[in-house]
Amino acid sequence: MRAHGFPAATILGYPRIGPRRELAAAHESYTEGRISLATLQADADEIRSGTRERLAQLGLSARNSSIPDPLPLTDGVLDTAIAVGALPERFQSIVGPEDNPWEVADRLTRGDGAVRPLESASWFGSLIQHYVPEVGASTRFAANSVRLERDAHESRVAGYATRPVLVGPVTLLELSAPDRDVSAAADPFGLLGKLVPVYAELLSRVRAAGADWVQLDEPAIVGAGATPRVLAAATAAYTALGAVADRPGLFVSTSYAPIGDTLAVLAATPVEAIGADLVTGPLPRRIDNVTRARLAEKTIVAGVIDGQNVWRGDLERALASAAEARRLTRTVSVSTSASLIHVPHDVTLETELDPRVARWLAFADQKVEQVRIVAAGLEHGSASVASELRAASAALADREAAQGRTDLAVRERINSVNERDRHRVPRSERRTVQRAALDLPVLPTSTIGAFPQTDEIVSARARYRSGVDSAEKYVAAMKHAIGEVIALQDRLGFDVLVHGEAERADMVTFFTENLEGFENTQYGWVQTRGVQCARPAILWGDVSRVRPITVAWTRFATTLTAKPVKGILTGPATLMSLSFVRDDQPLAETADQIALVLRDEIADLEEAGLSIIQVDEPALRDLRPDDGSAANAWPVRAFRLATGGARPGTHLQAHVCTSNVDAIRAAVTQLDADVTSFEAARVISASVPRPWDALTGLDGADRGDLAPGVYDVRTAHIPSVAEIEERLLLILSEVDAEHLWVVPDCGLTERQLGEAEPALRHLVEATRAVRERLGAYDPSAAAAVP
């Protein structure tokens, strides 16, 4: 059993990518063949070592398991899946239980030849994406503790008693998908009996390697997910794991929702420490006497510092929440509400940020300091940290009084919005006008928007931002890149072109740099999928637009071709999901402010002659049809406010970056777009549920046109003409050709141009072949005839 009590101050996790995203840069070098796997591992070890040292400098003890030590591979879900052998059948022949976990992760996330990689999904509605394990009746769970044991031992040798972190067994199964390669178990919790003994073996091994505590993250057992079925699984799992004779202390953390009834469930098991997110809600008020007696013998880890957002927060309130937990047990630990992987490293690195805004912020390092302050106040009394509490309160008051936080013109416009503003004329009327104006062929071809950011584009942007090149030279470089992309699409025979987004470093920053109410950072990177990173903006005030944002670049592209060019905008929910959003007003109100900005941008694009406009909303991948929740409602309502003013003749497309059937049905039925595009290339198969299966019972008037992706842009595999043709024919067995567009799954930013160009050529050639089968007129093929 555990040798020491739980620490008085801790965090649930810390950013793993390095202060200047060093891990992402190293991984990119590895995937491009510039460094070896051993060098990548060494770089990750150096970042991990630096993290331990930094957390100790910030006040977490090096000796008492205060410092969490997660596996540093990709994300917590996949790292844990590898550690327990939760691997799909198709990988069993190329992955062994004792293989290097880094190599296993690489194969699972990138695929291996014809073996398709794992899908990804949002980690509890956050910006972070996790890879989705696939399990079934034939899954051969087996412990792979190579990295866990190595890291625990290495930490001990370096003088640190760290705390290994795994995703708990209930959450792991809840987030898993059925293994589509085999006949899967209908209920993933039917596999719990096979999985828990593997966790027990891991616990024994890390205890032997020197770990006093292990953290098991179980966010799936709180909030809406805390169903009787899930709570029964939690009881079974932690009763069994608590009975393991030679194990570390068990700390079960819960995040992203109030702990509610789960507190009593965990209290009834042998776990020694229970984590509760007290930012999202307090501990239960009504607790029976039996549960109170059990909790008195346990540690409550009070998550009182917000781990998901960057605002400095109210430390007096945090201290009061931690003190409230002491009514249940004297052993209370102060912690963050969630892992700090959600926030950047250190606000003091932001030398170009408005100093006043910087004073309102707390990144990971500052939140560790806040944990230390509250823990000291809890132990020694609030008077011992009075100056720190006053400073935090002063920052809150300063933010409240800041000019720009409230813009009367924006508020007046929001107040004038009515329900009619969120509705266009009926789709059937729009369709008649649009078809006559566009005169596109059957199965029109297009791309989703972004083309690869070449070395020349990246270099030109860096020279401009550093002051080496003038604005004129930068604009000329971007126009040259746009011209090359237009020429390429013309040459390949696409029907609707895009300008390629050369001028956009990413899909969010380009917009937020041109909007009031946002600030952007230099080093505010956070991990998204795998070791990929994003740099969210800081959304602190009311949002307005100074001038048109995309019009000049898109208008320029239209002068280079006779074909229609599609305008590309990032939608309200996605701009918010890739920002740290103000916490002083409802999300719906903030979303509507952004929607009005985009509504104006659409009107300006229409004035510039654009008749096709796409609004990207990958954040809507978590939409569910007709669930009636506020979380489901505001993204839809904001999208419809943004697009509701478009002319009947403007062809509006919605792109949702998912193959989830529920999200696709929600998007198709609720967004009222003329075309809905979504990922499909990986799942077009007669043997699995396909995205359009969710559209059963909807006719063209209900759903508009569909654009299921037929080219998987997530992998380097270049699909052949035959592959894409087969996918198209399979889709056409379910979807009428008159309602179908042909596109890739998503934008092409993850690919090199040398990979994208042949794949796009094959897409057009496959479409021509299918048109010929259908006897449909193909203008691009006709134009190619001498």
Side-chain angles (χ1 to χ4, degrees):
M1 290 292 191
R2 60 191 171 101
H4 305 285
F6 199 80
T10 190
I11 59 175
L12 299 190
Y14 187 80
R16 300 189 289 181
I17 56 176
R20 290 174 171 81
R21 58 172 183 160
E22 291 87 347
L23 182 59
H27 193 269
E28 181 179 342
S29 295
Y30 166 66
T31 57
E32 293 178 358
R34 299 197 301 270
I35 64 173
S36 66
L37 179 62
T39 301
L40 174 61
Q41 290 178 276
D43 288 343
D45 286 341
E46 184 176 349
I47 293 169
R48 180 171 159 269
S49 175
T51 293
R52 289 189 311 234
E53 294 175 10
R54 180 59 175 158
L55 290 174
Q57 291 170 359
L58 292 169
L60 296 185
S61 173
R63 306 291 184 181
N64 67 357
S65 303
S66 296
I67 297 174
D69 196 9
L71 291 165
L73 305 179
T74 53
D75 64 72
V77 177
L78 182 59
D79 296 346
T80 301
I82 293 170
V84 300
L87 309 178
E89 183 68 24
R90 64 184 179 278
F91 284 97
Q92 294 292 348
S93 62
I94 58 176
V95 171
E98 298 299 321
D99 284 0
N100 185 316
W102 282 90
E103 294 177 334
V104 176
D106 189 57
R107 292 172 193 156
L108 292 171
T109 57
R110 299 172 66 190
D112 193 322
V115 179
R116 69 181 184 279
L118 297 179
E119 300 287 339
S120 63
S122 174
W123 171 253
F124 292 90
S126 71
L127 170 63
I128 296 169
Q129 297 279 300
H130 68 87
Y131 286 97
V132 179
E134 297 173 20
V135 297
S138 64
T139 301
R140 297 187 286 274
F141 295 113
N144 182 339
S145 60
V146 173
R147 187 77 201 195
L148 279 167
E149 292 181 82
R150 173 194 176 280
D151 288 354
H153 176 73
E154 189 269 336
S155 291
R156 284 284 178 178
V157 170
Y160 292 86
T162 57
R163 184 176 74 244
V165 180
L166 293 168
V167 171
V170 180
T171 295
L172 184 70
L173 289 176
E174 184 72 359
L175 297 182
S176 296
D179 187 346
R180 296 195 300 262
D181 301 310
V182 295
S183 177
D187 180 2
F189 291 145
L191 303 173
L192 196 64
K194 295 170 59 178
L195 178 60
V196 167
V198 178
Y199 271 85
E201 185 175 352
L202 290 176
L203 293 179
S204 296
R205 291 183 185 181
V206 296
R207 178 63 183 136
D212 293 319
W213 286 88
V214 164
Q215 175 179 322
L216 295 165
D217 291 335
E218 289 282 17
I221 67 174
V222 293
T227 63
R229 164 178 160 273
V230 168
L231 294 181
T235 297
Y238 288 103
T239 299
L241 293 177
V244 175
D246 189 16
R247 63 167 176 82
L250 296 181
F251 164 38
V252 178
S253 69
T254 63
S255 298
Y256 314 118
I259 194 167
D261 293 342
T262 305
L263 181 64
V265 170
L266 292 175
T269 70
V271 303
E272 288 82 14
I274 301 170
D277 180 345
L278 301 185
V279 172
T280 57
L283 292 168
R285 287 291 179 186
R286 296 183 179 180
I287 300 176
D288 62 78
N289 290 335
V290 173
T291 299
R292 285 181 180 276
R294 290 166 173 166
L295 289 171
E297 302 300 317
K298 299 184 186 295
T299 296
I300 290 180
V301 183
V304 296
I305 301 300
D306 191 347
Q308 284 193 271
N309 218 324
V310 295
W311 306 111
R312 191 165 176 175
D314 187 339
L315 292 191
E316 290 185 354
R317 179 181 296 177
L319 179 55
S321 295
E324 183 70 11
R326 277 198 165 167
R327 68 186 175 88
L328 298 176
T329 176
R330 295 301 301 170
T331 51
V332 172
S333 173
V334 175
S335 178
T336 51
S337 64
S339 171
L340 296 176
I341 56 172
H342 296 282
V343 299
H345 271 80
D346 184 4
V347 76
T348 65
L349 298 176
E350 302 300 332
T351 56
E352 296 183 6
L353 191 63
D354 182 331
R356 187 177 190 185
V357 174
R359 286 195 296 272
W360 307 336
L361 304 177
F363 289 178
D365 283 5
Q366 289 70 47
K367 289 181 182 292
V368 176
E369 292 173 341
Q370 290 181 326
V371 165
R372 178 188 57 78
I373 291 166
V374 175
L378 187 65
E379 183 175 358
H380 303 297
S382 60
S384 66
V385 291
S387 61
E388 291 92 338
L389 298 180
R390 283 195 299 270
S393 296
L396 286 174
D398 182 59
R399 180 181 163 208
E400 179 80 14
Q403 184 178 3
R405 175 181 166 272
T406 301
D407 184 321
L408 292 180
V410 172
R411 298 295 171 114
E412 288 174 4
R413 191 174 179 197
I414 286 289
N415 290 336
S416 71
V417 170
N418 58 54
E419 202 58 31
R420 293 190 303 275
D421 294 324
R422 303 182 196 270
H423 293 273
R424 302 176 72 196
V425 300
R427 186 184 280 125
S428 57
E429 295 180 29
R430 303 196 309 257
R431 182 180 180 83
T432 301
V433 177
Q434 292 167 12
R435 293 233 161 178
L438 292 173
D439 192 27
L440 295 172
V442 171
L443 305 178
T445 54
S446 187
T447 68
I448 296 305
F451 267 63
Q453 293 266 312
T454 64
D455 291 342
E456 292 78 11
I457 292 172
V458 174
S459 177
R461 182 179 298 114
R463 290 196 306 271
Y464 169 59
R465 289 185 180 265
S466 64
V468 174
D469 284 354
S470 66
E472 292 76 14
K473 189 170 183 179
Y474 171 70
V475 169
M478 294 302 102
K479 285 186 172 182
H480 176 74
I482 291 170
E484 289 187 327
V485 166
I486 292 291
L488 172 62
Q489 295 169 90
D490 258 332
R491 187 166 64 249
L492 294 177
F494 275 89
D495 302 303
V496 175
L497 313 189
V498 298
H499 79 290
E501 304 178 26
E503 78 287 0
R504 306 182 192 184
D506 58 65
M507 69 186 302
V508 171
T509 304
F510 178 75
F511 288 88
T512 59
E513 286 177 335
N514 289 282
L515 294 174
E516 298 293 333
F518 285 91
E519 289 281 343
N520 291 279
T521 65
Q522 293 171 272
Y523 303 108
W525 298 101
V526 296
Q527 197 168 345
T528 53
R529 186 178 69 237
V531 294
Q532 295 177 13
C533 302
R535 191 173 52 182
I538 311 293
L539 201 176
W540 66 271
D542 283 351
V543 180
S544 61
R545 186 186 68 148
V546 177
R547 64 186 65 85
I549 301 169
T550 66
V551 174
W553 298 107
T554 312
R555 182 195 288 122
F556 169 74
T558 65
T559 67
L560 306 177
T561 179
K563 292 183 176 179
V565 175
K566 180 166 56 174
I568 308 290
L569 303 177
T570 301
T574 299
L575 283 171
M576 289 175 63
S577 76
L578 290 166
S579 300
F580 293 113
V581 179
R582 60 190 300 180
D583 56 358
D584 57 350
Q585 70 180 21
L587 292 175
E589 186 169 336
T590 302
D592 277 357
Q593 291 181 4
I594 298 172
L596 290 176
V597 164
L598 297 176
R599 188 182 182 98
D600 293 342
E601 191 73 15
I602 289 172
D604 286 332
L605 287 169
E606 290 175 326
E607 286 298 317
L610 274 290
S611 56
I612 304 177
I613 298 171
Q614 175 180 301
V615 181
D616 290 334
E617 278 289 27
L620 300 190
R621 63 171 61 92
D622 296 314
L623 271 183
R624 295 297 179 263
D626 306 322
D627 68 0
S629 70
N632 201 47
W634 71 256
V636 171
R637 288 176 59 78
F639 182 96
R640 295 189 66 154
L641 179 59
T643 58
R647 300 168 182 170
T650 298
H651 191 80
L652 274 170
Q653 303 188 353
H655 174 62
V656 290
C657 211
T658 184
S659 58
N660 180 280
V661 293
D662 288 335
I664 293 168
R665 185 177 182 92
V668 166
T669 57
Q670 297 176 34
L671 297 183
D672 193 32
D674 299 302
V675 175
T676 305
S677 61
F678 47 87
E679 293 184 0
R682 291 188 188 181
V683 294
I684 297 176
S685 165
S687 61
V688 300
R690 294 155 297 178
W692 48 89
D693 289 343
L695 308 179
T696 303
L698 301 178
D699 61 25
D702 293 324
R703 70 187 185 196
D705 292 348
L706 303 177
V710 295
Y711 160 32
D712 179 8
V713 302
R714 306 292 186 194
T715 73
H717 172 65
I718 299 171
S720 66
V721 173
E723 284 179 73
I724 296 177
E725 186 175 350
E726 180 181 3
R727 290 169 183 166
L728 278 173
L729 292 172
L730 199 58
I731 296 170
L732 285 167
S733 68
E734 303 287 342
V735 180
D736 187 82
E738 291 293 321
H739 293 286
L740 188 66
W741 285 58
V742 184
V743 297
D745 268 347
C746 199
L748 303 170
T749 51
E750 293 186 35
R751 304 272 56 86
Q752 299 294 317
L753 192 58
E755 299 166 336
E757 181 174 346
L760 295 177
R761 180 183 301 109
H762 295 168
L763 183 150
V764 173
E765 291 176 1
T767 304
R768 288 173 177 166
V770 173
R771 285 173 182 162
E772 186 174 342
R773 284 184 182 225
L774 297 174
Y777 173 60
D778 185 344
S780 59
V785 177

